[in-house]
């Protein structure tokens, strides 16, 4: 059960992670559509109700106007007729029932659909229009009583049974005419006037859902299309994974001044500042390590001079020795830091040339042999007999192999084995450094290439395994700068295998 880790994408200590917010875009779209639909439904219903009520009251007003006009015309007609005829109400011989003169009634018959009742002064009915005559006796009686009951002009609504329904009526006493005349009632069923608002309601009930559904679809599409630039932006932002992609900018439509364009501008401004501060930080590390190099060299030279001076008291030798060790460790640290800082800044171009990597592996094996001898470890090498030519930066690959080999020796107890292998795979060359050492825990494996990461930081300073925690970070950078990759497999207590694969066809370096 070997654990392994594969490192393809370059990792920087400051990783900017943007979680893909695609689901939230979807939910904004849904929320917008629901909100829009609700607003639209309220508007449509409100508009419909107001329109209906308005239409209804307007049609009642129309009806009232009609009744008013009919009653006034009737009154005028009666007055004119009276002036001409001198008598309007006649009582036929042998009949006690008075009635309207036969030459008057055709006029009233012309109000074809409306109810008209004319009463005598004594309250007796003088004339009933045809629609009234067609009503039931009870309804005629009801209307007649309404007509008789009013002493002045009166407007109202009543219900007549069974078929008449709601009826609007106007009663008024007739003046300026035959004194035998009493009240006149004109009335009309509201149902004829209700048709307009009801038809309106019906057509609204048909049109509203269609409008509603069409608008929702349109709204959904609109919300989606207005969020599209946002989705694109999310994709672009997701691409910006670490400090090295900070030079990227979101595309900004210069003509647009909408929210997405402003967001893109704001994000670009942020990237600008981030890029600057990243660059400043890298510059600082590079400058600081560079400035530290010379004083460290002077220090080392001084300490070495005192160490070899025969006049140096023997009791000072040990502290001086320890100082020298610390100075060496610091020099290594400063050099490693400078290497990484330069690499981050893109100031470490590879000096690529064709070289025999088999020779480099043999060289590394020799160094490993010397280190291993002191540590009581056996070194085995498995390298093809002939030269293996590859376009690489010789010094960088040497550094890569030495890092892996020194680690292998460092983390393998006495009596263990360290193996170096080289395999030509045609399109790529594979370097393998294996050991039978302490191994790396599965949980630690993903971190070993991180800068300053060490499995046991407490032991690091004074232990038998000193180190800076930068070796593998540099190793990984070298592999990736060559367009290759590095992976590690390990079983705690059993050993570790590092595999570096460098392609023959040099792709443009992923890491500067
Ligand atoms: P260091 O200077 O500490 O060796 P590296 O970057 O080279 O720094 O390695 C990081 C850490 O990875 C080490 O501290 C060690 O815990 C672990 N490691 C590296 N190589 C091996 C190995 N061959 N066997 C076991 N652990 C290893």
């Amino acid at each position: 059960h070997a654990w392994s880790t594969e490192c393809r994408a370059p990792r920087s200590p400051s990783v900017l992670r943007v979680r893909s917010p695609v689901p939230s875009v979807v939910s904004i779209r849904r929320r917008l559509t629901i909100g829009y639909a609700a607003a639209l439904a309220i508007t449509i219903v409100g508009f419909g109700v107001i329109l209906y009520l308005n239409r209804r009251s307007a049609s009642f007003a129309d009806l009232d106007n009609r009744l008013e006009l009919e009653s006034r015309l009737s009154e005028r007609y009666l007055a004119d007729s009276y002036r001409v005829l001198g008598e309007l109400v006649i009582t036929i011989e042998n009949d006690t029932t008075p009635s309207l003169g036969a030459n008057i009634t055709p006029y009233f018959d012309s109000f074809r659909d409306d109810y008209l009742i004319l009463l005598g002064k004594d309250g007796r009915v003088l004339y009933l229009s045809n629609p009234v005559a067609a009503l039931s006796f009870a309804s005629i009686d009801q209307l007649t009583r309404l007509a008789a009951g009013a002493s002045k002009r009166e407007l109202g609504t009543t219900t007549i049974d069974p078929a008449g329904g709601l009826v609007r009526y106007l009663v008024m006493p007739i003046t300026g005419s035959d004194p035998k005349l009493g009240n006149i009632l004109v009335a009309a069923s509201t149902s004829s006037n209700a048709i307009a608002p009801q038809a309106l309601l019906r057509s609204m009930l048909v049109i509203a859902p269609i409008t509603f559904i069409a608008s929702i679809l349109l709204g959904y599409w609109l919300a989606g299309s207005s969020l599209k630039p946002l989705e694109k932006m999310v994709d672009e932002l997701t691409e910006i994974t670490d400090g090295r992609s900070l030079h990227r900018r979101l595309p900004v439509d210069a003509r647009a001044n909408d929210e997405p364009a402003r967001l893109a501008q704001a994000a670009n401004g942020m990237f600008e500042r981030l890029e600057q501060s990243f660059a400043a930080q890298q510059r600082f590390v590079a400058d600081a390590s560079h400035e530290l190099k010379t004083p460290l060299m002077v220090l080392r030279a001084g300490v070495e001079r005192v160490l070899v001076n025969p006049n140096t008291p023997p009791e000072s030798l040990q502290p001086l020795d320890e100082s020298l060790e610390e100075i060496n460790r610091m020099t290594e640290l400063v050099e490693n830091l400078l290497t990484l800082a330069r690499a981050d800044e893109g100031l470490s171009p590879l000096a690529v040339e064709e070289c025999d990597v088999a020779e480099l592996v043999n060289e590394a094996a020799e160094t490993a042999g010397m280190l291993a001898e002191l540590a009581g470890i056996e070194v085995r090498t498995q390298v093809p007999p002939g030269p293996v030519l590859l376009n690489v930066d010789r010094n960088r690959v040497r550094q890569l192999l030495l890092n892996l080999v020194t680690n292998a020796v460092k983390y393998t107890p006495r009596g263990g084995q360290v193996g170096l292998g080289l395999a030509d795979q045609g399109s790529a060359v594979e370097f393998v450094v294996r050991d039978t050492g302490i191994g790396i825990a599965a949980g630690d494996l993903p971190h070993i290439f991180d800068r300053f990461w060490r499995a046991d930081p407490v032991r690091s300073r004074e232990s038998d395994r000193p180190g800076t925690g930068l070796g593998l970070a540099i190793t990984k950078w070298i592999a990736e700068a060559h367009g290759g990759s590095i992976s590690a497999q390990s079983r705690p207590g059993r050993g570790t295998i590092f595999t570096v694969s460098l392609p023959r066809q040099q792709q443009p370096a992923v890491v500067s």
Side-chain angles (χ1 to χ4, degrees):
H1 306 282
W3 302 103
S4 74
T5 179
E6 194 76 24
C7 299
R8 298 217 183 277
R11 263 184 77 123
S12 148
S14 332
V15 180
L16 307 169
R17 291 229 174 278
V18 182
R19 241 186 292 148
S20 169
V22 172
S24 96
V25 168
V26 170
S27 91
I28 286 180
R29 187 182 189 176
R30 200 181 306 142
R31 278 211 309 268
L32 271 176
T33 314
I34 291 172
Y36 174 68
L40 188 74
I42 292 170
T43 315
I44 288 183
V45 170
F47 177 73
V49 167
I50 291 170
L51 194 67
Y52 175 75
L53 292 178
N54 191 279
R55 237 0 282 146
R56 219 171 81 119
S57 80
S59 73
F60 266 78
D62 282 352
L63 196 61
D64 289 351
N65 283 341
R66 194 171 96 201
L67 297 179
E68 180 79 33
L69 191 69
E70 280 176 0
S71 60
R72 293 270 171 234
L73 281 176
S74 303
E75 191 180 35
R76 171 102 49 91
Y77 177 72
L78 289 170
D80 290 349
S81 304
Y82 180 64
R83 218 170 299 127
V84 175
L85 301 173
E87 190 181 41
L88 299 179
V89 181
I90 49 165
T91 312
I92 301 167
E93 268 175 66
N94 307 329
D95 192 348
T96 49
T97 320
S99 68
L100 216 51
N103 41 1
I104 310 289
T105 49
Y107 174 76
F108 292 116
D109 290 340
S110 68
F111 302 146
R112 220 168 284 157
D113 298 323
D114 292 343
Y115 307 119
L116 195 139
I117 300 175
L118 192 62
L119 300 181
K121 199 87 203 163
D122 51 3
R124 272 197 277 186
V125 175
L126 295 180
Y127 172 81
L128 289 180
S129 71
N130 286 335
V132 183
L135 291 173
S136 68
F137 180 75
S139 301
I140 297 174
D141 188 46
Q142 187 185 347
L143 288 179
T144 312
R145 263 190 279 123
L146 267 176
S151 56
K152 57 179 182 14
R153 192 173 170 283
E154 209 171 80
L155 194 68
T157 311
T158 185
T159 314
I160 53 168
D161 281 324
L166 204 63
V167 166
R168 190 88 175 137
Y169 66 87
L170 187 144
V171 186
M172 64 175 211
I174 293 194
T175 52
S177 184
D178 192 338
K180 286 186 192 147
L181 291 175
N183 285 350
I184 183 168
L185 174 142
V186 273
S189 162
T190 56
S191 65
S192 61
N193 276 66
I195 286 174
Q198 262 162 20
L200 183 80
L201 194 67
R202 260 199 305 280
S203 34
M204 272 194 315
L205 283 178
V206 175
I207 295 168
I210 297 172
T211 320
F212 187 66
I213 290 169
S215 313
I216 289 202
L217 291 178
L218 190 74
Y220 188 70
W221 175 80
L222 260 177
S225 69
S226 10
L227 288 173
K228 211 152 225 113
L230 216 65
E231 272 179 76
K232 257 203 233 146
M233 220 179 284
V234 168
D235 291 344
E236 302 259 354
L237 284 172
T238 324
E239 298 277 295
I240 301 177
T241 47
D242 61 28
R244 289 183 193 95
S245 12
L246 279 178
H247 63 278
R248 283 171 176 246
R249 293 289 177 271
L250 299 175
V252 181
D253 185 355
R255 286 161 303 154
N257 191 28
D258 52 6
E259 287 80 356
R262 290 215 302 278
L263 182 63
Q265 279 164 353
N268 283 347
M270 191 187 75
F271 287 136
E272 186 91 43
R273 295 191 291 278
L274 267 177
E275 193 185 12
Q276 278 169 8
S277 77
F278 250 71
Q281 183 209 339
Q282 285 165 353
R283 199 75 289 252
F284 172 76
V285 176
D287 288 349
S289 356
H290 187 75
E291 291 300 320
L292 283 171
K293 262 172 88 172
T294 322
L296 279 173
M297 264 161 57
V298 175
L299 254 176
R300 180 157 66 182
V303 172
E304 278 173 348
R305 208 174 316 124
V306 181
L307 265 174
V308 294
N309 190 341
N311 298 332
T312 308
E315 65 273 18
S316 305
L317 286 180
Q318 206 209 334
L320 280 171
D321 229 16
E322 280 167 7
S323 300
L324 188 63
E325 216 167 85
E326 276 303 302
I327 291 171
N328 284 341
R329 212 181 81 83
M330 240 174 120
T331 310
E332 189 194 332
L333 174 70
V334 161
E335 255 158 27
N336 285 344
L337 267 179
L338 192 59
T339 306
L340 283 173
R342 288 229 167 107
D344 285 346
E345 281 189 301
L347 295 176
S348 284
L350 297 181
V352 177
E353 54 180 337
E354 192 178 61
C355 36
D356 179 9
V357 284
E359 189 193 314
L360 290 179
V361 174
N362 285 327
E363 267 179 37
E366 254 177 61
T367 316
M370 288 191 285
L371 293 170
E373 210 178 299
L374 293 171
I377 294 167
E378 188 191 339
V379 176
R380 290 183 183 173
T381 319
Q382 208 174 15
V383 178
V388 177
L389 297 176
L390 191 66
N391 285 327
V392 289
D393 182 325
R394 178 191 292 273
N395 289 329
R396 290 299 184 203
V397 173
R398 188 183 284 133
Q399 187 182 5
L400 173 148
L401 290 170
L402 282 177
N403 279 353
L404 292 179
V405 160
T406 40
N407 272 353
V409 174
K410 197 155 70 171
Y411 297 106
T412 303
R414 193 164 280 277
Q417 286 169 2
V418 168
L420 266 98
L422 179 69
D424 190 347
Q425 294 177 329
S427 63
V429 173
E430 204 171 76
F431 303 78
V432 179
V433 178
R434 58 176 79 232
D435 63 61
T436 56
I438 58 171
I440 302 163
D444 290 345
L445 216 43
H447 304 292
I448 55 170
F449 297 105
D450 291 353
R451 295 173 188 193
F452 292 111
W453 190 90
R454 310 200 72 220
D456 194 353
V458 185
R459 282 194 321 186
S460 65
R461 283 191 65 79
E462 73 281 5
S463 77
D464 46 335
R465 295 180 183 125
T468 61
L470 290 175
L472 284 182
I474 292 178
T475 308
K476 178 168 167 273
W477 162 67
I478 295 173
E480 284 169 353
H482 283 86
S485 62
I486 182 166
S487 64
Q489 287 174 290
S490 188
R491 288 178 71 181
R494 301 293 283 274
T496 308
I497 305 173
F498 280 95
T499 311
V500 176
S501 175
L502 300 187
R504 269 247 146 67
Q505 204 73 45
Q506 287 274 320
Q507 289 133 16
V510 233
V511 187
S512 44

